Amino acid sequence: MNSKCFFIWLIAAYVNRLKTGVGEKVDIALVDSMVSSLEIINIIYLNTGRIPTRIGNRYEAIYPYDSFQARDGYVIIACGNDKLYGLLKNVLQISALEDEKFKSNLDRVAHHAELKEIIECWTRDLDIDTIVSMLLDAGIPSAPINTIDRVTQDPHIAGAREMFVDIEHPVAGKITMTGNQVKFTHNKATIRMPAPTLGQHNYEVLKERLNYSDEKIEQLIRSGIL
């Protein structure tokens, strides 16, 4: 469970305290959160007894809701209902998508492999950003599957969210580090300095924290201990 979800439950407990005067202990286990995130996998087994198997990135109960190969990588196309599938047909303009075997969501799930091949005949000829832009403009949920080079160039992540920042290292010079993921309203959390070099703070620790004299520190340096 991420910090945002935990904060929501924390607020819920606080509101209960305000309304009833009774406090709540917020007990969240990591394993419980992972089980909850299985979503449809739980429902399939609990209601049918079937143990779901590996199916790649495909969503088991909806199609096309899957990853598709583009010219330069992979994209997600998420048609969660018949309306979205209709919009997809309008964009792709492929007659095979009109086949009766793809008429309803249940039909599309049953024939997902064939449908994926048809859609990838279109996506393979286009780059990731073109596909995502075309589908989003048509109202169809779509997103790139980013490799790290795309993440570092993403205008939202790298730009607006400042998740990659340049700083000066005393030995290596200018280096780029991962920015701070915590954002405050009034006080900016920044990466103030790189990791210290070997022994960089020896003097401060020994002098200010352990009350070593200058003479003792010099002696440690001469003897090779520092």
Side-chain angles (χ1 to χ4, degrees):
M1 175 175 290
N2 62 36
S3 57
K4 177 187 261 186
C5 292
F6 177 77
F7 184 71
I8 291 172
W9 288 112
L10 194 64
I11 291 298
Y14 177 64
V15 171
N16 180 73
R17 169 66 174 80
L18 294 177
K19 289 183 175 181
T20 68
V22 179
E24 292 279 1
K25 176 184 177 183
V26 182
D27 178 2
I28 302 175
L30 182 58
V31 69
D32 293 348
S33 301
M34 293 301 297
V35 171
S36 176
S37 70
L38 293 175
E39 296 179 337
I40 194 174
I41 302 300
N42 298 333
I43 303 304
I44 290 172
Y45 175 72
L46 293 173
N47 290 276
T48 70
R50 177 170 68 87
I51 299 177
T53 56
R54 294 179 180 178
I55 59 173
N57 296 320
R58 174 171 66 88
Y59 200 79
E60 185 141 10
I62 304 171
Y63 209 83
Y65 200 124
D66 201 349
S67 60
F68 297 86
Q69 185 175 357
R71 185 162 53 195
D72 56 346
Y74 289 85
V75 298
I76 295 293
I77 300 175
C79 293
N81 52 46
D82 291 338
K83 177 183 178 181
L84 290 173
Y85 182 68
L87 295 176
L88 183 67
K89 289 192 296 183
N90 292 338
V91 173
L92 271 59
Q93 292 294 306
I94 300 175
S95 59
L97 297 178
E98 300 288 351
D99 195 296
E100 284 292 312
K101 69 179 71 172
F102 306 134
K103 184 175 182 179
S104 71
N105 179 64
L106 288 177
D107 295 326
R108 294 191 292 275
V109 170
H111 300 93
H112 65 85
E114 185 177 348
L115 182 53
K116 179 168 186 173
E117 185 176 342
I118 294 170
I119 295 173
E120 284 193 327
C121 285
W122 179 78
T123 58
R124 285 194 189 100
D125 290 334
L126 300 170
D127 60 57
I128 293 171
D129 294 330
T130 298
I131 295 169
V132 172
S133 178
M134 291 177 65
L135 296 183
L136 290 181
D137 287 347
I140 303 166
S142 179
I145 296 180
N146 282 331
T147 48
I148 187 60
D149 57 316
R150 288 181 57 88
V151 173
T152 59
Q153 298 170 38
D154 185 279
H156 176 71
I157 299 171
R161 300 300 293 173
E162 297 181 322
M163 283 307 300
F164 304 102
V165 295
D166 293 331
I167 62 171
E168 285 293 328
H169 189 279
V171 176
K174 181 181 178 180
I175 61 174
T176 302
M177 296 183 64
T178 304
N180 198 312
Q181 75 275 23
V182 178
K183 310 294 194 265
F184 293 108
T185 303
H186 302 294
N187 297 290
K188 185 175 182 179
T190 61
I191 304 299
R192 294 176 295 174
M193 62 186 69
T197 56
L198 182 63
Q200 180 177 334
H201 298 107
N202 281 353
Y203 186 85
E204 289 88 340
V205 171
L206 296 174
K207 180 80 173 180
E208 299 172 12
R209 301 295 180 182
L210 300 179
N211 295 318
Y212 278 31
S213 66
D214 291 339
E215 292 76 14
K216 187 169 184 179
I217 295 174
E218 287 298 325
Q219 183 182 358
L220 292 173
I221 294 174
R222 287 195 301 271
S223 63
I225 295 176
L226 291 180

